[in-house]
Amino acid sequence: MRISELLTKSTILLQIEGNQKQDAIDQLVDKLFEANKISDKSEFKTAILKREEQSTTGIGDGIAIPHAKTKAVKEAAIAFGKSATGVNYDSLDGKPAHLFFMIAAPDGANNTHLEALARLSGLLMKAEVRYELLKATTAEEIIETINRFDKEEQVETSTSGKAASIVAVTGCPTGIAHTYMAADSLKAKAADMGVTIKVETNGSGGAKNVLTKEEIENATAVIIAADIKVEMERFSGKHVIQAAVADGIRKPEQLINRAVKQDAPIYKGNGSEKSTSDASSSVGGFYKHLMNGVSNMLPFVVGGGILIAICFMFGYNSFNPKDPSYNPISDALMTIGGGNAFKLIVPVLAGFIAMSIADRPGFAPGMVGGMMAANGGAGFLGGLIAGFLAGYIVNLLKKVFANLPRSLEGIKSILIYPLLGIAITGFIMHFVINKPVAWINTEIAHWLTGLGTGNAVLLGIILGLMMAFDMGGPVNKAAYVFGTGLLASGVYEPMAAIMAAGMVPPLGIAIATSVFKNKFTEQEKDAGKANYIMGLSFITEGAIPFAAADPLRVIPSIMIGSAVTGALSMAFGIGLRAPHGGIFVVPLVEHGALKYALAILIGSIVSALLIGLLKKPVKQ
C-alpha cells in the first residue's frame, strides 16, 4: 500500500490557522471528520491528547506527528497540515512546527496500513522531503512529493553472514510513528559514521527485524530507544544503553558513539525471561507463553465462577427448570457463568498461548483448537496442547511463506495464516488429539466402575487424586461421572468424597495465598480471594490458573490434599445424594455434616501447607 492511499486530497489542509498546539490538533481532527475517516471527533481527539500526555509528538525539525489508534477511526488515514508562520507545539528541539501529519489508525489496522505509516515516518527524516513539502502550494504537489519518495524497503538482514556490530530496539506506546522514525534515524546516522547496525522495531504490527541470538552475542553494545517494555533478558551480559524513543530520533549520533565506546553498564538479567528467538526451544519461553494464556483466562474463571456460586445461593438445583426450587434468576446466572463464561476458559487459554508464540496470526487457530478441545472431551489439558500446537504451526507457516513478494504481504495475516493455521490445527486436534484423550477418559471411567467400593479409603484416595489432577478436565469428569452413576444405585459415599475432594484445590490455594503472601504476585493474591467462594461452591476450576502457572509444585500439592479429604470422607462413612452444590449442600450429607466439613478443612490445609513449602518466593 502506498502512503498516498492514506493521504488524499480530502485530508490535506494547506494552511493551519492559529499558532497554538490545540489549534493545529482541532483543525486536523476536523479535516479527518469531514473526510469521513473518523466516526467520533471527541473520542478520537481524546485519544490524540492522551498520546500527547505520554510525550510530545513534535519531533523537531519543524515536524509534528500527532497520532492515535482507536475504534473511533473508520479506516486508516493521514491528515496533512502546513503552517507558514509556525505553531508552538512543545517540540523536542524547542522550535515551532510547520509540517503536521495526523495519523488515524483503527483498532484493527492491518500490517499493510501500518507499514505504510512506518514508511511515512521514515520519509520525514529526510531533509529533501521536508523541504519540498514546505515549498508545495497545492494538494497535488504534496501527494506527488510523497509518491516520489515513497518506496517500499526490504526487510533488513545481516550481510555476508556477519551479525551487526551494534544492535538496537525501538518502540513507542502506540507503535505507529516514533518507533520507525527512531529506527530510521539510527540507521541513517550509523551509515554516515560507517558503523554497522541492525534495528528491531516493536511497532503496532508486532516486532520486525527481530534480533537473533547470534547477532546479540556478536554486538559491541545494545541501544534500547523505547518508551515501552522491551524483552531485556536476551541482552544479559551486554553493554546496554537505555534511552527514550525521542533520543533515538534526536540524538542518534550520541547513542551510537556511546555504543561504540561501550559507555554503558553491563545488563545483568535474572533468568526470568527468554528472548523471542529462543522462545520456541526453552523452558523460559514455554513459561512465558503459558502465562500469557493463564493471565487472559483468569477473568473468565473468576467472573464465571462467582456467578455460578451466586446461582447456588438460590438452591443447589434452582437453575434446573424441572426442579421444584427453580428460579429464573438462578437459571440466568448459571447460563451466563457456566454455560458461557466457563465454556470460554479453554479456548481463551489456547488462543492466547498461540498468540504469545506466533503473535496475532496465532490467535484464531489457537481459539479454534481450544474450542475443539473443550467440545471434544480433551478439556484443560487439551487446550494447552492446542495452544502450543497452533502457535508453532503458524510460526512454521511464517517461515514457509517468508519469501512471498512484498505486494502480497497483506494477505498473509488476513488469509494465509488464519486459513491454513485453523485448518491444520483443526485436523490435528480432530484426528490426533481429541479421540485418544476421549478414549483414555472412557477407559478411566470403566476402570473406576470395576474397582467398586471394596476398599472405601483406597477408593477415596483415588477419587481425590483424580478430582485434583486436571480440575474439570477428562480425569476429573471421569471421577464425577462415576460418583453420579452410583447415586442411581443408592451408593452415596463416593459422591460425598468426590465433592469434598473437588472443593480442596481452590480452597487450598485460597488459604495459601492468604498465609504465604510472599509466594504469590498481587494478581494471584487477588484471584486467591475469589477461590474461597469457588472452593466453597465446588468449582474446582478456580485452581486452574495457579496450577497452569506452576504445575510441578501446585498440582502435586492439591492432589495430596484432595486425596486426604477423599480418604477421610470415605473413612467417616459420609454419604451425599446431591451431585453438586458445595457448602450449600453440606447440611444434606448423611452421617455427620461436621465430620464432612472437617475432612474438607484438613485436606485444604494440607494443600496450602505443601504449596507454601514448595513454591519459591516471588521476585518483586
Side-chain angles (χ1 to χ4, degrees), residues 143-459:
I143 292 175
E144 189 276 330
T145 298
I146 293 294
N147 279 337
R148 187 152 29 92
F149 288 93
D150 182 16
K151 296 179 181 179
E152 295 187 1
E153 299 180 359
Q154 296 300 313
V155 175
E156 181 184 349
T157 57
S158 299
T159 59
S160 304
K162 296 181 180 179
S165 58
I166 291 176
V167 295
V169 180
T170 63
C172 67
T174 52
I176 295 175
H178 287 53
T179 299
Y180 304 100
M181 298 186 76
D184 287 326
S185 180
L186 286 167
K187 287 188 286 186
K189 183 55 66 175
D192 290 343
M193 298 169 65
V195 176
T196 306
I197 190 170
K198 179 175 179 181
V199 185
E200 173 184 311
T201 55
N202 284 218
S204 184
K208 303 291 185 183
N209 297 328
V210 176
L211 303 174
T212 67
K213 182 177 181 180
E214 180 184 5
E215 287 166 339
I216 294 170
E217 287 178 350
N218 293 330
T220 303
V222 180
I223 298 172
I224 306 293
D227 294 336
I228 59 173
K229 183 179 179 181
V230 172
E231 200 173 320
M232 294 294 294
E233 189 68 19
R234 52 184 165 158
F235 302 126
S236 181
K238 306 298 295 184
H239 292 274
V240 177
I241 300 162
Q242 299 194 54
V245 69
D247 290 339
I249 300 172
R250 303 300 308 161
K251 303 176 182 178
E253 185 173 3
Q254 178 181 329
L255 295 177
I256 292 171
N257 278 329
R258 287 184 60 195
V260 171
K261 297 175 183 178
Q262 295 187 324
D263 179 20
I266 294 176
Y267 181 77
K268 296 180 181 180
N270 56 22
S272 63
E273 301 174 358
K274 295 291 178 184
S275 70
T276 302
S277 57
D278 298 333
S280 61
S281 60
S282 66
V283 175
F286 177 90
Y287 181 77
K288 170 195 165 189
H289 305 321
L290 185 62
M291 285 305 299
N292 192 59
V294 169
S295 63
N296 285 284
M297 175 186 73
L298 188 60
F300 294 87
V301 176
V302 174
I306 292 177
L307 288 175
I308 294 173
I310 296 173
C311 160
F312 290 141
M313 295 176 65
F314 292 89
Y316 67 85
N317 207 26
S318 59
F319 58 88
N320 185 354
K322 297 181 180 180
D323 192 87
S325 65
Y326 174 72
N327 184 294
I329 300 299
S330 175
D331 187 13
L333 289 169
M334 179 59 73
T335 299
I336 297 167
N340 291 278
F342 259 43
K343 283 190 176 180
L344 286 171
I345 289 174
V346 173
V348 168
L349 171 72
F352 280 96
I353 288 175
M355 186 174 177
S356 178
I357 296 169
D359 214 337
R360 293 178 185 175
F363 186 68
M367 283 287 289
V368 173
M371 182 66 75
M372 293 181 71
N375 293 335
F380 167 68
L381 296 178
L384 288 176
I385 296 171
F388 284 98
L389 178 67
Y392 291 124
I393 284 173
V394 172
N395 270 353
L396 180 61
L397 291 173
K398 288 182 179 181
K399 293 180 179 179
V400 171
F401 294 99
N403 296 320
L404 278 183
R406 292 276 291 179
S407 59
L408 299 178
E409 186 75 19
I411 70 169
K412 289 182 182 179
S413 59
I414 63 173
L415 175 62
I416 295 176
Y417 298 148
L419 174 62
L420 296 181
I422 290 173
I424 295 172
T425 302
F427 272 104
I428 294 175
M429 290 300 296
H430 183 73
F431 289 109
V432 179
I433 305 299
N434 283 348
K435 290 183 179 180
V437 171
W439 176 81
I440 292 171
N441 186 26
T442 302
E443 291 302 309
I444 290 174
H446 289 165
W447 172 70
L448 273 173
T449 304
L451 181 64
T453 56
N455 190 325
V457 173
L458 176 60
L459 181 61

Side-chain angles (χ1 to χ4, degrees), residues 52 63 177 322 423 438 447 581 585 590 595 599 604:
E52 293 295 326
I63 304 170
K322 297 181 180 180
W447 172 70
V585 298
E590 300 174 352
K595 288 190 291 184
S604 301

Side-chain angles (χ1 to χ4, degrees), residues 48 72 94 582:
I48 288 286

Side-chain angles (χ1 to χ4, degrees), residues 586-614:
V586 168
L588 303 179
V589 301
E590 300 174 352
H591 307 134
L594 289 178
K595 288 190 291 184
Y596 190 56
L598 181 63
I600 296 169
L601 178 62
I602 291 173
S604 301
I605 292 174
V606 168
S607 287
L609 291 175
L610 288 172
I611 292 170
L613 177 66
L614 296 176

